Amino acid sequence: MKKKLFIVSLVLSMCFSMLSIVNVQAKETIREDHYVNPIYKDVKSSVVHHDIQTYSLEDVEYTSDQEKLVKIFRENLINRESNIVLYYHCDEEITQEFFSNLVHQLFQKAIKHTGNGKEGDYLKWHCQGWTVKATISGNSNEGYDLNIFYDVSYLSSLEQEEKVDEEVSNLLKSLDLSNKTDYQKVKAIYDYICSNVTYDHDNLNDESYSLKYTAYAALINKTAVCQGYASLFYRLALDAGVDTRVISGEAGGPHAWNIVKLNGKYYNLDSTWDAGRSTYAYFLKNTNDFDDHVRDNDYQSNEFIEEYPMWDESYTEIDCNKYGHNYSEPIYKWSVDNMTVTAQRVCANNYEHVEEETVTAQKIVKDPTCTENGIITYMANFKNNAFKPQTKIVDDKKATGHKVVVDQAKEATCTEDGLTEGKHCSVCKEVIKKQEVIPSTGHKEVLDSAKEATCTNTGLTEGIHCSICNKIIKKQEIIPALGHDFKDGVCTRCHNQLKGQWKQSGNKWWYQYEDGTYPKNEFITIDNKLYRFDQYGYMQTGWFKVNNEDYYATSSGEIKAQWVGSGNNWYYVDADGKMVTGFQTISGVKYYFETNGLMKKGWFKVNGTDYYATSSGAIKAQWVGSGNIWYYVDADGKMVTGYQTIAGAKYYFANSGLMQTGWFKINKEDYYAPSSGSIQEQWVKSGNNWYYVDANGKMVTGDYKINKVVYRFDANGVCLG
């Protein structure tokens, strides 16, 4: 979001409650002072603006991404910028509480521990204090743009920090920590600080001399107070790859020291109190052995302790002759010329116990090829079985490249394929450019059409021959005659009918084909009529079963869709003669047949539900009953319950299906329907009392508007006027 803003910075005394931003443009200023040094609270910085200043900001990029703002903030702090501006956009209204939380949150994130020696606690302990002011522009529809102006003071300058950067780099090189264990790194750094930095008693009471609190004073001037000691250790340890934090608290007065990570947990150490001494009274101690140091509350929280767990025991050198060694995984270091390699491992019980072995490597040379570089392999084996064999591969000479030979092209002929030009290497034989086949072009192909086989005549497959040389390219194959495929006496391919004649044996009939065979155990269509022949070949009549299903044929044997029965018992069979069950629609009329095929009439049940069919068996939507007892069934014949709308009128049917009239109850509530059952909004008189029911027939109570007039009904529904 880019905007041109006209921003007015107002005097410090402006009351925040004056800020009001509701769908209008507004420009206001909010401000806050803050001091960040947790020990030396008398070190302060203050910026007061007495004049109203007017200036403009053009092409400003606002963002809602706080992490992006934090990154910008942190970079400015590292560069020791005094005036830092952050451009923040938010959608919610800016209150004093919101602003206070925001500016503190941005600052705390900017000085959060990151593992970088120039960031985290190093920034926190080198920032002296800050003030902040802001201007706001925006409205509730588009959100608010917040210009945050931090005025930061520092204990050291950028030039001094550049000097610290240079000296830290030189010092770490001189300590030669590259192949050291974390313990060795910590001890080397600790020994350096304790041996080279003295406590600054001369400036202890000089509050104007803020440099005494810095790593610069400890490293460059060689004299500082506890904050300088702790900050220098923090910077050196992190740059050496060992995690550490600066801790503040009480130790006979405000004090600062460090915790450092070894083997997954943290130890306390205080280089200030061990400085100039020959002992390590405050080196790598657990909390119990460090009880003359009391942390500030921030460092005693469960969250902090969980993130930085302390060792239960202080570090002590265990008698390895008694308890044995506990060596770490070996570290291997090659020489510059790769001819030697040194292996080292450190005992965790006593970090001073180090096993080290340097061996000469075997050099194996592999010459370069056309495509692969030549390599030199260095291999080393140690006498100490704790050290694994080491291998290092180094590129030596570049690949020689291919010696290219041209593979000549070959033209295609009528009968032989040709080749395109190719290339290969005469040394390694690798194909550089593949020769592609050029198909032969001599034949002029002519299609020999296929001929379909019939029931009585053979056919031919499609063939191809050359019209020039008559070479058969694709031979035509003979397709045998298919023969007749009779089904129900008719060939499925040529539709010739296998003729036959009816024959009688006693009172039974059967059908004989002209070839002497006869149908059995199957349905056959003869003269456009369907018949069924049993397993013996006799025509079936009346009721019979096929696969345990009931079928019916007339006395003449013809099978067709038809009603079967007499009197009150009727069945129906489909066009295949199969007896139907369940709901069926016949000639546009719906019926229901039991599992035994019997057509249902009157009331009947399906799956426990009541249904109704007329005396003819027809199922349709209709009223059923007489006098004061009426039911209704839907188009499927199913008895309805509850509210129903029939022919535009509303009715209510009980669970028994009975249409309700007069007063009745639903869920203990009173309802009314006239003698016709038709429910509508109406007045109802009972005795000398009048009642009123709504469109659902429910008796109303309380105040109720009828034709724009409000009536009052008591709890029993009686109209009170």
Side-chain angles (χ1 to χ4, degrees):
M1 179 189 308
K2 293 186 177 180
K3 298 183 178 180
K4 291 185 178 180
L5 297 177
F6 187 73
I7 302 177
V8 180
S9 176
L10 303 182
V11 297
L12 177 62
S13 60
M14 173 175 285
C15 180
F16 185 81
S17 62
M18 294 173 61
L19 180 61
S20 178
I21 307 175
V22 183
N23 294 320
V24 296
Q25 293 293 322
K27 304 177 183 71
E28 299 286 352
T29 298
I30 51 184
R31 162 183 191 91
E32 178 165 319
D33 294 333
H34 188 62
Y35 311 103
V36 298
N37 196 305
I39 296 181
Y40 304 100
K41 297 179 176 61
D42 54 343
V43 180
K44 300 180 179 180
S45 176
S46 172
V47 180
V48 181
H49 299 270
H50 296 288
D51 301 325
I52 298 177
Q53 303 174 12
T54 302
Y55 55 96
S56 63
L57 300 174
E58 296 186 359
D59 297 326
V60 172
E61 186 74 29
Y62 291 89
T63 180
S64 302
D65 187 351
Q66 291 192 18
E67 294 304 318
K68 184 177 180 180
L69 294 178
V70 167
K71 183 179 180 181
I72 296 171
F73 200 173
R74 184 184 296 118
E75 291 173 352
N76 279 269
L77 292 174
I78 293 173
N79 293 326
R80 297 300 187 269
E81 297 289 344
S82 297
N83 300 308
I84 303 172
V85 187
L86 302 178
Y87 304 105
Y88 180 67
H89 178 82
C90 67
D91 295 326
E92 58 184 291
E93 187 175 345
I94 309 297
T95 64
Q96 180 66 60
E97 181 182 4
F98 176 88
F99 173 73
S100 180
N101 289 337
L102 175 63
V103 296
H104 281 84
Q105 188 178 62
L106 291 175
F107 187 87
Q108 291 303 319
K109 286 184 177 181
I111 63 173
K112 183 179 177 66
H113 179 67
T114 65
N116 187 318
K118 298 176 66 172
E119 301 173 2
D121 291 349
Y122 194 82
L123 288 178
K124 175 180 179 180
W125 292 85
H126 283 75
C127 287
Q128 189 175 23
W130 54 268
T131 62
V132 63
K133 61 181 181 178
T135 62
I136 309 169
S137 180
N139 57 58
S140 58
N141 292 327
E142 297 181 359
Y144 304 92
D145 291 334
L146 189 63
N147 305 304
I148 307 172
F149 304 90
Y150 286 91
D151 199 330
V152 186
S153 58
Y154 303 91
L155 298 175
S156 60
S157 67
L158 177 60
E159 292 75 19
Q160 290 169 333
E161 287 304 316
E162 289 174 345
K163 183 64 174 177
V164 170
D165 293 343
E166 181 181 354
E167 290 301 315
V168 165
S169 178
N170 293 334
L171 176 57
L172 291 177
K173 288 180 181 178
S174 69
L175 294 176
D176 191 22
L177 305 178
S178 58
N179 290 316
K180 298 293 191 297
T181 66
D182 286 352
Y183 169 80
Q184 292 171 326
K185 294 176 182 178
V186 170
K187 189 172 183 302
I189 294 170
Y190 193 79
D191 286 344
Y192 175 84
I193 295 174
C194 291
S195 300
N196 291 275
V197 184
T198 60
Y199 197 83
D200 193 357
H201 293 284
D202 294 340
N203 295 297
L204 182 60
N205 297 318
D206 183 2
E207 300 301 339
S208 65
Y209 185 68
S210 60
L211 200 61
K212 62 188 175 182
Y213 305 113
T214 67
Y216 176 89
L219 182 61
I220 307 301
N221 297 339
K222 307 298 185 193
T223 181
V225 296
C226 60
Q227 183 173 325
Y229 280 81
S231 297
L232 178 58
F233 183 88
Y234 180 87
R235 177 67 184 275
L236 291 170
L238 284 178
D239 283 7
V242 183
D243 193 41
T244 183
R245 292 297 306 271
V246 177
I247 305 296
S248 65
E250 292 289 329
H255 192 52
W257 62 93
N258 299 95
I259 60 171
V260 65
K261 187 177 184 180
L262 292 176
N263 295 327
K265 290 187 178 182
Y266 291 80
Y267 291 99
N268 292 290
L269 52 81
D270 188 346
S271 57
T272 306
W273 282 21
D274 267 344
R277 301 177 182 181
S278 59
T279 62
Y280 294 90
Y282 296 93
F283 181 65
L284 301 183
K285 300 296 181 181
N286 72 344
T287 303
N288 292 334
D289 294 336
F290 213 68
D291 58 359
D292 49 4
H293 292 60
V294 181
R295 298 182 182 184
D296 288 335
N297 290 335
D298 289 347
Y299 303 107
Q300 296 187 53
S301 68
N302 292 332
E303 182 181 2
F304 186 87
I305 293 173
E306 184 177 349
E307 187 173 1
Y308 300 96
M310 304 297 295
W311 278 101
D312 295 332
E313 301 290 337
S314 297
Y315 172 75
T316 56
E317 295 181 352
I318 299 174
D319 186 354
C320 294
N321 291 327
K322 183 176 181 180
Y323 297 101
H325 294 290
N326 181 19
Y327 285 108
S328 63
E329 286 296 318
I331 298 174
Y332 303 92
K333 182 180 180 180
W334 289 86
S335 63
V336 176
D337 61 1
N338 297 314
M339 291 307 299
T340 62
V341 60
T342 300
Q344 183 189 85
R345 63 176 186 165
V346 181
C347 179
N349 294 335
N350 189 328
Y351 293 141
E352 297 297 326
H353 289 176
V354 179
E355 284 190 348
E356 187 173 280
E357 182 182 352
T358 301
V359 296
T360 300
Q362 180 186 3
K363 183 179 179 181
I364 302 173
V365 179
K366 180 183 178 183
D367 294 329
T369 65
C370 297
T371 58
E372 296 180 352
N373 293 339
I375 59 172
I376 299 176
T377 303
Y378 297 92
M379 302 179 65
N381 294 296
F382 299 90
K383 294 180 180 179
N384 191 335
N385 293 330
F387 301 139
K388 297 178 181 178
Q390 296 296 298
T391 301
K392 189 174 184 180
I393 299 175
V394 180
D395 287 337
D396 183 30
K397 295 182 180 179
K398 293 184 178 180
T400 59
H402 293 298
K403 187 175 182 179
V404 179
V405 176
V406 176
D407 302 314
Q408 298 298 321
K410 177 184 176 184
E411 291 187 1
T413 67
C414 180
T415 57
E416 293 183 358
D417 295 335
L419 292 171
T420 62
E421 182 182 89
K423 296 178 180 179
H424 73 276
C425 177
S426 63
V427 178
C428 67
K429 309 304 180 183
E430 181 178 338
V431 176
I432 300 170
K433 182 180 179 182
K434 183 180 179 182
Q435 287 187 289
E436 303 293 338
V437 176
I438 303 173
S440 59
T441 60
H443 290 308
K444 186 175 181 180
E445 295 182 354
V446 176
L447 183 67
D448 301 316
S449 300
K451 178 183 177 184
E452 291 185 359
T454 67
C455 295
T456 56
N457 297 321
T458 60
L460 291 171
T461 61
E462 183 180 86
I464 301 174
H465 73 277
C466 177
S467 63
I468 299 176
C469 64
N470 292 318
K471 182 179 179 179
I472 297 175
I473 299 169
K474 182 180 179 182
K475 183 180 179 181
Q476 287 187 289
E477 303 291 340
I478 295 175
I479 303 172
L482 302 176
H484 292 297
D485 180 29
F486 288 110
K487 186 175 182 180
D488 298 341
V490 179
C491 180
T492 60
R493 284 187 284 269
C494 67
H495 305 295
N496 287 336
Q497 187 166 3
L498 184 62
K499 297 181 180 179
Q501 59 181 329
W502 287 99
K503 292 195 175 186
Q504 187 176 14
S505 297
N507 61 349
K508 295 183 178 181
W509 289 88
W510 55 288
Y511 193 80
Q512 187 178 38
Y513 294 125
E514 59 186 347
D515 60 0
T517 62
Y518 55 91
K520 57 183 177 179
N521 207 28
E522 59 182 320
F523 290 91
I524 299 295
T525 300
I526 303 173
D527 297 330
N528 297 321
K529 293 181 179 180
L530 184 64
Y531 299 87
R532 167 74 184 183
F533 296 87
D534 64 16
Q535 59 183 333
Y536 305 107
Y538 294 112
M539 180 189 74
Q540 294 185 280
T541 61
W543 289 104
F544 60 92
K545 287 186 179 290
V546 178
N547 296 327
N548 210 32
E549 299 280 353
D550 290 301
Y551 288 77
Y552 182 83
T554 65
S555 59
S556 65
E558 183 182 359
I559 294 173
K560 59 182 179 178
Q562 60 184 312
W563 287 96
V564 182
S566 64
N568 293 325
N569 298 323
W570 286 94
Y571 305 82
Y572 191 81
V573 295
D574 60 19
D576 294 326
K578 185 178 180 180
M579 181 186 75
V580 301
T581 60
F583 286 100
Q584 301 289 334
T585 299
I586 303 170
S587 300
V589 180
K590 184 176 288 187
Y591 301 86
Y592 183 81
F593 300 86
E594 291 186 3
T595 55
N596 61 4
L598 184 65
M599 181 191 75
K600 297 300 291 184
K601 297 183 289 185
W603 289 104
F604 62 95
K605 288 184 180 290
V606 179
N607 296 326
T609 301
D610 292 300
Y611 288 78
Y612 183 83
T614 66
S615 59
S616 67
I619 293 175
K620 59 183 179 178
Q622 60 183 313
W623 287 96
V624 182
S626 64
N628 295 326
I629 301 176
W630 288 95
Y631 304 83
Y632 192 82
V633 295
D634 61 17
D636 293 325
K638 184 179 178 180
M639 182 186 75
V640 301
T641 60
Y643 281 106
Q644 301 289 333
T645 299
I646 304 169
K650 182 180 289 186
Y651 301 86
Y652 184 82
F653 299 86
N655 291 335
S656 64
L658 183 65
M659 182 188 74
Q660 298 295 289
T661 58
W663 289 103
F664 61 95
K665 288 186 180 291
I666 302 176
N667 296 327
K668 299 181 180 181
E669 299 282 350
D670 291 302
Y671 289 75
Y672 179 83
S675 59
S676 66
S678 177
I679 295 173
Q680 56 187 314
E681 189 171 355
Q682 62 182 321
W683 286 97
V684 181
K685 185 178 183 182
S686 179
N688 294 323
N689 296 323
W690 284 93
Y691 304 81
Y692 196 81
V693 295
D694 62 16
N696 291 321
K698 184 178 179 180
M699 181 185 75
V700 303
T701 59
D703 293 340
Y704 193 83
K705 185 180 286 187
I706 304 171
N707 295 326
K708 299 182 179 181
V709 178
V710 177
Y711 295 85
R712 177 161 292 178
F713 300 85
D714 65 13
N716 295 317
V718 177
C719 181
L720 303 177

